Amino acid sequence: MAKLFGTDGARGVANTELTCDIAFKLGQAAAALFGRTVVVGRDTRLSGDMLQAALGAGIMSLGGTVLDCGIIPTPGVALLARELHADCGIVISASHNPPEYNGIKFFDGQGFKLADEVEAQLESFVMAGGAADADLPSGDEVGVIVPVDNACELYVSQTVAEEGLPFDELKIALDTGHGASSLTTARALEQLGAEVIVINDDFNGTDINVKCGSTHLEPLRQLVAATGADLGIAHDGDADRVMFVDSQGNEIDGDVVEAVCALDLKRRGQLADDTVVSTVMCNLGFTKCMEAAGIKVIQTNVGDKYVLAQLREGGLSIGGEQSGHMIFLEHNSTGDGLVTALQFLAAVLRQGISVAEAASVMQRFPQELINVRVTDKHAVTDNPAVAAIISAKNDEMAGQGRILVRPSGTEPLVRVMVEAPTHEAAHEVAQSIADVVKAEMGLVE
């Protein structure tokens, strides 16, 4: 078996790479390693029923109780694991990936994602074949499923209760991407008084993330234009991330959202240690915006679990990724698209300006990303020719740009990212480096 856990749980094509056997053994692993009460939720994928049945069977085979939340956003499971005093939480979702994929994500009893070493224990349990027959209970000691019929209502009510501002002056266009937020986000925004026009809030299991949601903003742009909305909000399939567009359809990504919210927290004296957390992929414009405001930026590896680890270690308030994963630790223990939307809107309303004006605090540097398919992605870190071209191009830019070359966490790719004062300069530098990577490491045809 290949390595099971990536940057965000176990993931693969359902029933081919992520099988029922793996799900069953991961359920056993959860009951064996964490305890016998497990909150379980899923997104809207067709394979969710199948994998949840297998996962739940694994939990119950060791005497565990499945608190079944049904279809619910990933951050809802994190919150309910904590609120229902469970031993852990599990979400069956492949987030922003296409419908044929699925995944299994874990949270501890406090709603935090697992450290790498804990995921390694789960993986070892699965690779060892799961629980031994001698360890399996029988009779009245086997586990059960307990439905949590009001799971989405609990998540929405808890989230809305923490937001003090009314949204009754806002007209919001919303794209839920045929995903789990179809059951939650419009309800939350309407409870706060907003007028909400929503699309893609139906689902059939095979349409999640398909040409919609946070990775495909064009339907949202069209809805904003057609309705005259003040802004648009788009989630991915499990709603742990969110992207925005302003009233003119301009994209507002996670870097801009974090900048707006961090500045709002600082103005109100609530930004812990005047520090924020982002990843190495954040735009150079974000770091310059924060520096100008006297805010320190800590950068981590790509992956919200690394952002979370830094937040917890430093006792900090806010961290996020350009992709729209944002963590507000005072509101939830993981990336939460609904919390992020509410915090961003509140930050804008407190200033009494438009979304576009709020977003203008950060000027993005043009960014070029080229993915190079290679035979050995990890070899890039020790390749002298690649190091030489990176050094030469850094010298040419003389501090007026940034280069990041790294292996992909999930695919046989080397990612070449360049930021520069112009799109043309960014493209030229990125292409020069990508050409050397191809020549040195062998393009897979």
Side-chain angles (χ1 to χ4, degrees), residues 257-314:
V257 171
E258 184 170 4
V260 170
C261 291
L263 291 170
D264 175 66
L265 288 168
K266 183 174 172 63
R267 281 191 293 267
R268 294 186 290 126
Q270 295 182 15
L271 183 63
D273 203 25
D274 282 342
T275 300
V276 297
V277 181
S278 189
T279 76
V280 293
M281 289 296 288
C282 75
N283 191 273
L284 185 58
F286 172 75
T287 59
K288 288 187 175 295
C289 175
M290 294 294 95
E291 289 168 4
I295 297 172
K296 179 182 176 182
V297 178
I298 298 174
Q299 292 180 298
T300 72
N301 291 332
V302 175
D304 63 326
K305 68 179 178 180
Y306 302 115
V307 173
L308 173 62
Q310 189 64 58
L311 287 171
R312 296 182 71 186
E313 180 180 332

Coordinates of all heavy atoms in Angstrom, one line a residue, residues 257-314:
V257 N -8.3 38.2 2.2 CA -9.3 38.0 3.3 C -8.5 38.0 4.6 O -8.9 38.7 5.6 CB -10.0 36.7 3.2 CG1 -10.8 36.4 4.5 CG2 -11.0 36.7 2.0
E258 N -7.4 37.4 4.7 CA -6.6 37.4 5.9 C -6.0 38.8 6.2 O -6.0 39.2 7.4 CB -5.4 36.4 5.8 CG -4.6 36.3 7.1 CD -3.6 35.1 7.1 OE1 -3.5 34.4 6.1 OE2 -3.0 34.9 8.2
A259 N -5.6 39.5 5.2 CA -5.1 40.8 5.4 C -6.2 41.7 6.0 O -6.0 42.5 7.0 CB -4.6 41.4 4.1
V260 N -7.4 41.7 5.4 CA -8.5 42.5 5.9 C -8.9 42.2 7.3 O -9.1 43.1 8.2 CB -9.8 42.3 5.0 CG1 -11.0 43.0 5.6 CG2 -9.5 42.9 3.6
C261 N -9.0 40.9 7.6 CA -9.3 40.4 9.0 C -8.2 40.7 10.0 O -8.5 41.1 11.1 CB -9.7 39.0 9.0 SG -11.2 38.6 8.1
A262 N -7.0 40.6 9.6 CA -5.9 40.8 10.5 C -5.8 42.3 10.9 O -5.6 42.7 12.0 CB -4.6 40.4 9.9
L263 N -6.0 43.2 9.9 CA -6.0 44.6 10.1 C -7.2 45.0 11.0 O -7.1 45.9 11.9 CB -6.1 45.4 8.8 CG -4.8 45.3 7.9 CD1 -5.1 45.9 6.6 CD2 -3.6 46.0 8.6
D264 N -8.3 44.4 10.8 CA -9.5 44.6 11.7 C -9.2 44.2 13.1 O -9.5 44.9 14.1 CB -10.7 43.9 11.1 CG -11.9 44.0 12.0 OD1 -12.5 45.1 12.2 OD2 -12.3 43.0 12.6
L265 N -8.6 43.0 13.3 CA -8.3 42.6 14.7 C -7.3 43.5 15.3 O -7.4 43.8 16.5 CB -7.7 41.2 14.6 CG -8.8 40.0 14.3 CD1 -8.0 38.7 14.0 CD2 -9.7 39.8 15.5
K266 N -6.3 44.0 14.6 CA -5.3 44.9 15.1 C -5.9 46.2 15.6 O -5.6 46.7 16.7 CB -4.2 45.1 14.1 CG -3.0 46.0 14.7 CD -1.9 46.1 13.8 CE -0.8 47.1 14.2 NZ -0.2 46.7 15.5
R267 N -6.8 46.7 14.7 CA -7.5 48.0 15.1 C -8.3 47.9 16.4 O -8.4 48.8 17.1 CB -8.4 48.4 14.0 CG -7.7 49.1 12.8 CD -8.7 49.7 11.8 NE -9.6 48.7 11.2 CZ -9.3 48.2 10.0 NH1 -8.2 48.6 9.3 NH2 -10.1 47.4 9.4
R268 N -8.8 46.7 16.6 CA -9.6 46.4 17.8 C -8.8 45.9 19.0 O -9.4 45.5 20.0 CB -10.8 45.5 17.5 CG -11.8 46.1 16.5 CD -13.0 45.3 16.3 NE -12.7 44.0 15.5 CZ -13.0 42.8 15.9 NH1 -13.6 42.6 17.1 NH2 -12.7 41.8 15.2
G269 N -7.5 45.8 18.8 CA -6.6 45.3 19.9 C -6.8 43.8 20.2 O -6.5 43.4 21.3
Q270 N -7.2 43.0 19.2 CA -7.5 41.6 19.4 C -6.6 40.7 18.6 O -6.9 39.5 18.5 CB -9.0 41.3 19.1 CG -9.9 42.0 20.0 CD -11.4 41.7 19.8 OE1 -11.7 40.7 19.1 NE2 -12.3 42.5 20.3
L271 N -5.6 41.2 18.0 CA -4.6 40.4 17.2 C -3.5 40.0 18.1 O -2.6 40.8 18.5 CB -4.1 41.2 16.0 CG -3.2 40.4 15.1 CD1 -3.9 39.3 14.4 CD2 -2.6 41.3 14.0
A272 N -3.6 38.7 18.5 CA -2.6 38.2 19.5 C -1.2 38.4 19.0 O -0.8 38.0 17.9 CB -2.8 36.7 19.7
D273 N -0.4 39.0 19.8 CA 1.1 39.3 19.6 C 1.3 40.0 18.3 O 2.4 39.9 17.7 CB 1.8 37.9 19.6 CG 3.3 38.1 19.9 OD1 3.7 39.1 20.5 OD2 4.1 37.2 19.4
D274 N 0.3 40.7 17.7 CA 0.4 41.4 16.4 C 1.1 40.5 15.4 O 2.0 40.9 14.6 CB 1.2 42.7 16.6 CG 0.3 43.8 17.2 OD1 -0.9 43.7 17.2 OD2 0.9 44.8 17.7
T275 N 0.6 39.2 15.3 CA 1.3 38.2 14.4 C 0.2 37.4 13.7 O -0.8 37.1 14.3 CB 2.2 37.3 15.2 OG1 3.2 38.1 15.9 CG2 2.8 36.2 14.4
V276 N 0.4 37.1 12.5 CA -0.4 36.2 11.7 C 0.4 35.1 11.1 O 1.6 35.1 11.1 CB -1.1 37.0 10.5 CG1 -2.0 38.1 11.1 CG2 -0.1 37.5 9.5
V277 N -0.3 34.0 10.7 CA 0.4 32.9 10.1 C -0.2 32.7 8.7 O -1.4 32.8 8.5 CB 0.1 31.6 11.0 CG1 0.8 30.4 10.3 CG2 0.5 31.8 12.4
S278 N 0.8 32.4 7.8 CA 0.4 32.0 6.4 C 1.3 30.9 6.0 O 2.1 30.4 6.8 CB 0.5 33.3 5.5 OG -0.1 33.0 4.2
T279 N 1.3 30.6 4.7 CA 2.2 29.6 4.2 C 3.2 30.2 3.2 O 3.1 31.4 2.8 CB 1.4 28.5 3.4 OG1 1.0 29.0 2.1 CG2 0.2 28.0 4.2
V280 N 4.1 29.4 2.8 CA 5.2 29.9 1.8 C 4.5 30.2 0.5 O 5.2 30.9 -0.3 CB 6.3 28.8 1.6 CG1 7.1 28.6 2.9 CG2 5.6 27.5 1.1
M281 N 3.3 29.9 0.2 CA 2.6 30.2 -1.1 C 1.9 31.6 -1.0 O 1.3 32.0 -2.0 CB 1.6 29.1 -1.4 CG 2.3 27.8 -1.8 SD 3.2 28.0 -3.4 CE 1.9 28.2 -4.6
C282 N 1.9 32.2 0.1 CA 1.2 33.5 0.2 C 1.8 34.5 -0.8 O 3.0 34.5 -1.0 CB 1.1 34.0 1.6 SG 2.6 34.7 2.3
N283 N 1.0 35.5 -1.2 CA 1.5 36.5 -2.2 C 2.4 37.5 -1.4 O 2.2 37.8 -0.3 CB 0.3 37.2 -2.8 CG 0.7 38.1 -3.9 OD1 1.1 39.2 -3.8 ND2 0.6 37.5 -5.1
L284 N 3.4 37.9 -2.2 CA 4.3 38.9 -1.6 C 3.6 40.2 -1.2 O 4.0 40.8 -0.2 CB 5.4 39.2 -2.6 CG 6.6 40.1 -2.2 CD1 7.3 39.5 -1.0 CD2 7.6 40.3 -3.3
G285 N 2.6 40.5 -1.9 CA 1.8 41.7 -1.5 C 1.2 41.5 -0.1 O 1.0 42.5 0.6
F286 N 0.9 40.3 0.3 CA 0.3 40.1 1.7 C 1.4 40.4 2.7 O 1.1 41.1 3.7 CB -0.1 38.6 1.8 CG -0.5 38.3 3.2 CD1 -1.7 38.7 3.8 CD2 0.3 37.5 4.0 CE1 -2.1 38.4 5.1 CE2 -0.1 37.2 5.3 CZ -1.3 37.6 5.9
T287 N 2.6 39.9 2.6 CA 3.6 40.1 3.6 C 4.0 41.6 3.6 O 4.2 42.2 4.7 CB 4.9 39.3 3.3 OG1 5.4 39.6 2.0 CG2 4.6 37.8 3.3
K288 N 4.0 42.3 2.5 CA 4.3 43.7 2.5 C 3.2 44.5 3.2 O 3.5 45.5 3.9 CB 4.5 44.2 1.1 CG 5.9 43.7 0.5 CD 6.1 44.3 -0.9 CE 7.5 43.9 -1.4 NZ 8.6 44.4 -0.6
C289 N 1.9 44.1 2.9 CA 0.8 44.8 3.6 C 0.9 44.6 5.1 O 0.7 45.6 5.9 CB -0.5 44.2 3.1 SG -2.0 44.8 3.9
M290 N 1.2 43.4 5.6 CA 1.3 43.2 7.0 C 2.5 43.9 7.6 O 2.4 44.5 8.7 CB 1.4 41.7 7.3 CG 0.2 40.9 6.9 SD -1.3 41.2 7.9 CE -2.1 42.4 6.9
E291 N 3.6 43.9 6.9 CA 4.8 44.6 7.5 C 4.5 46.1 7.6 O 4.9 46.8 8.6 CB 6.0 44.4 6.5 CG 6.5 43.0 6.6 CD 7.5 42.7 5.4 OE1 7.8 43.7 4.7 OE2 8.0 41.6 5.3
A292 N 3.8 46.7 6.6 CA 3.5 48.1 6.7 C 2.6 48.5 7.9 O 2.6 49.6 8.4 CB 2.8 48.6 5.4
A293 N 1.8 47.5 8.3 CA 0.9 47.7 9.4 C 1.5 47.3 10.8 O 0.8 47.3 11.8 CB -0.4 46.9 9.2
G294 N 2.8 46.9 10.7 CA 3.4 46.5 12.0 C 3.0 45.1 12.5 O 3.0 44.8 13.7
I295 N 2.6 44.2 11.5 CA 2.2 42.9 11.8 C 3.2 41.9 11.3 O 3.6 41.9 10.2 CB 0.8 42.6 11.2 CG1 -0.3 43.5 11.8 CG2 0.4 41.1 11.4 CD1 -1.6 43.4 11.1
K296 N 3.6 41.0 12.2 CA 4.6 40.0 11.9 C 3.9 38.8 11.1 O 2.8 38.4 11.5 CB 5.3 39.5 13.1 CG 6.3 38.4 12.9 CD 6.9 37.9 14.2 CE 7.9 36.7 13.9 NZ 8.4 36.2 15.2
V297 N 4.6 38.3 10.1 CA 4.0 37.1 9.4 C 4.9 35.9 9.6 O 6.2 36.0 9.3 CB 4.0 37.4 7.9 CG1 3.5 36.2 7.1 CG2 3.1 38.6 7.6
I298 N 4.4 34.8 10.1 CA 5.1 33.6 10.2 C 4.6 32.7 9.0 O 3.4 32.5 8.9 CB 4.8 32.9 11.5 CG1 5.3 33.7 12.7 CG2 5.4 31.5 11.6 CD1 4.9 33.2 14.1
Q299 N 5.5 32.1 8.2 CA 5.1 31.3 7.1 C 5.5 29.8 7.4 O 6.5 29.5 7.9 CB 5.9 31.8 5.8 CG 5.4 33.1 5.3 CD 6.1 33.6 4.1 OE1 7.3 33.8 4.1 NE2 5.4 33.7 3.0
T300 N 4.5 29.0 7.0 CA 4.7 27.5 7.3 C 4.7 26.8 5.9 O 4.5 27.4 4.9 CB 3.5 27.0 8.1 OG1 2.3 26.9 7.3 CG2 3.3 27.8 9.3
N301 N 4.9 25.5 6.0 CA 4.7 24.6 4.8 C 3.3 24.7 4.4 O 2.4 25.1 5.1 CB 5.1 23.2 5.1 CG 6.6 23.0 5.3 OD1 7.4 23.7 4.8 ND2 6.9 22.0 6.1
V302 N 3.0 24.3 3.1 CA 1.6 24.3 2.6 C 0.8 23.3 3.3 O 1.3 22.1 3.5 CB 1.7 24.1 1.1 CG1 0.2 23.9 0.5 CG2 2.4 25.2 0.4
G303 N -0.4 23.6 3.7 CA -1.3 22.7 4.4 C -1.8 23.4 5.7 O -1.0 23.9 6.5
D304 N -3.1 23.4 5.8 CA -3.7 24.1 7.0 C -3.3 23.5 8.3 O -3.4 24.2 9.3 CB -5.2 24.2 6.8 CG -6.0 22.9 6.8 OD1 -5.4 21.9 6.3 OD2 -7.1 22.9 7.3
K305 N -3.0 22.2 8.3 CA -2.6 21.6 9.6 C -1.3 22.2 10.1 O -1.0 22.3 11.3 CB -2.5 20.1 9.5 CG -1.4 19.5 8.7 CD -1.5 18.0 8.7 CE -0.4 17.3 7.8 NZ -0.5 15.9 7.9
Y306 N -0.4 22.6 9.2 CA 0.8 23.3 9.6 C 0.6 24.7 10.1 O 1.2 25.2 11.0 CB 1.8 23.3 8.4 CG 2.1 21.9 8.0 CD1 1.8 21.4 6.7 CD2 2.7 20.9 8.8 CE1 2.0 20.2 6.3 CE2 3.0 19.7 8.4 CZ 2.6 19.3 7.1 OH 2.9 18.0 6.7
V307 N -0.4 25.4 9.4 CA -0.8 26.7 9.9 C -1.4 26.6 11.3 O -1.1 27.3 12.2 CB -1.9 27.3 9.0 CG1 -2.5 28.6 9.6 CG2 -1.3 27.6 7.6
L308 N -2.2 25.6 11.5 CA -2.8 25.3 12.8 C -1.8 25.1 13.9 O -1.9 25.6 15.0 CB -3.8 24.2 12.8 CG -4.4 23.7 14.1 CD1 -5.2 24.8 14.8 CD2 -5.3 22.4 13.9
A309 N -0.8 24.2 13.6 CA 0.2 23.9 14.6 C 1.0 25.2 15.0 O 1.2 25.3 16.2 CB 1.2 22.9 14.0
Q310 N 1.2 26.1 14.1 CA 1.9 27.3 14.4 C 1.0 28.2 15.3 O 1.5 28.9 16.2 CB 2.4 28.0 13.2 CG 3.3 29.2 13.4 CD 4.6 28.8 14.0 OE1 5.3 28.0 13.5 NE2 4.9 29.4 15.2
L311 N -0.2 28.3 14.9 CA -1.2 29.1 15.7 C -1.2 28.6 17.2 O -1.2 29.4 18.1 CB -2.6 29.0 15.1 CG -2.8 29.8 13.8 CD1 -4.2 29.4 13.3 CD2 -2.7 31.3 14.0
R312 N -1.3 27.3 17.3 CA -1.4 26.7 18.7 C -0.1 26.9 19.5 O -0.1 27.3 20.7 CB -1.8 25.3 18.6 CG -3.1 25.0 18.0 CD -3.5 23.5 18.0 NE -3.7 23.0 19.4 CZ -4.0 21.7 19.6 NH1 -3.9 20.8 18.7 NH2 -4.2 21.3 20.9
E313 N 1.0 26.7 18.8 CA 2.3 26.9 19.5 C 2.5 28.3 19.9 O 3.0 28.5 21.0 CB 3.4 26.5 18.5 CG 4.8 26.6 19.1 CD 5.9 26.2 18.1 OE1 5.6 25.4 17.2 OE2 7.0 26.7 18.2
G314 N 2.1 29.3 19.1 CA 2.3 30.7 19.5 C 1.2 31.4 20.2 O 1.3 32.5 20.6

